[in-house]
Amino acid sequence: MKLKKLAFLLLSITFCLSCQETKKEDLDQLNGYWEIKKVKQKNGKETVFKFNETVDFIEFENNQGIRTKVKPSLQGDFKATKDAESFTITKENDQWIFHYKTAMDEWQETLLRLDEDEFQVQNDREIIYTYQRFNGYLDGTK
């Protein structure tokens, strides 16, 4: 029984250490090119993406931003698509919430984790999207 308690305690400490609060100034890390890495459904099923034909270009400043789908080329440049979504971010109950609005829809995503190389959001259907910074197809150039 003591072993179970010790294991639980160690897991709890590890979990708490990995849960660092995202500060407002950290949100600037959203700027740049991002590709979807994996999607985790509510039932636990994960889909891993090894190659993305389009990536998201995020421009963010003063709690407002735009996310544009772009198509990277092998030469290192990008072609913008007509798919763009504007958003705002607000802090609600100690969580950062993305508020998206297009001509066709409105939705929200909760920021779960953010660092300079990766971020995660969860939508209202409890689907978790993990993004990684896009560094180019061949040589890591943006």
Side-chain angles (χ1 to χ4, degrees):
M1 189 59 120
K2 287 184 179 182
L3 187 58
K4 285 183 181 180
K5 286 181 181 179
L6 180 61
F8 178 76
L9 180 63
L10 288 174
L11 277 172
S12 298
I13 291 170
T14 303
F15 179 75
C16 289
L17 289 176
S18 67
C19 295
Q20 297 177 3
E21 181 181 342
T22 301
K23 297 178 181 87
K24 184 175 181 174
E25 56 269 16
D26 295 335
L27 296 175
D28 288 338
Q29 294 179 40
L30 291 168
N31 286 303
Y33 296 93
W34 296 92
E35 64 180 328
I36 192 84
K37 181 179 177 181
K38 67 181 173 181
V39 175
K40 185 175 182 180
Q41 302 291 329
K42 183 179 179 178
N43 64 8
K45 180 182 176 189
E46 280 191 0
T47 303
V48 176
F49 294 85
K50 295 183 181 189
F51 178 83
N52 293 291
E53 190 174 305
T54 61
V55 299
D56 291 343
F57 177 64
I58 297 177
E59 296 175 278
F60 177 77
E61 187 175 11
N62 297 326
N63 290 5
Q64 297 183 9
I66 189 160
R67 182 170 72 176
T68 306
K69 295 283 185 195
V70 296
K71 292 185 177 186
S73 74
L74 295 175
Q75 290 77 28
D77 57 348
F78 299 89
K79 182 178 180 182
T81 69
K82 295 180 181 179
D83 187 10
E85 303 153 344
S86 43
F87 64 91
T88 59
I89 297 180
T90 59
K91 191 161 190 178
E92 301 171 18
N93 300 320
D94 292 326
Q95 294 182 311
W96 292 104
I97 309 294
F98 289 74
H99 302 271
Y100 289 96
K101 186 174 185 177
T102 66
M104 304 293 238
D105 200 8
E106 290 183 40
W107 70 98
Q108 296 180 0
E109 294 177 334
T110 302
L111 182 65
L112 302 178
R113 190 166 55 82
L114 170 65
D115 63 41
E116 64 185 34
D117 296 317
E118 191 172 280
F119 76 93
Q120 279 186 330
V121 292
Q122 181 175 358
N123 67 14
D124 58 352
R125 295 176 298 176
E126 298 181 38
I127 299 172
I128 297 173
Y129 297 89
T130 302
Y131 291 85
Q132 65 186 7
R133 187 144 327 256
F134 180 74
N135 291 313
Y137 286 136
L138 298 177
D139 59 359
T141 59
K142 294 181 183 178

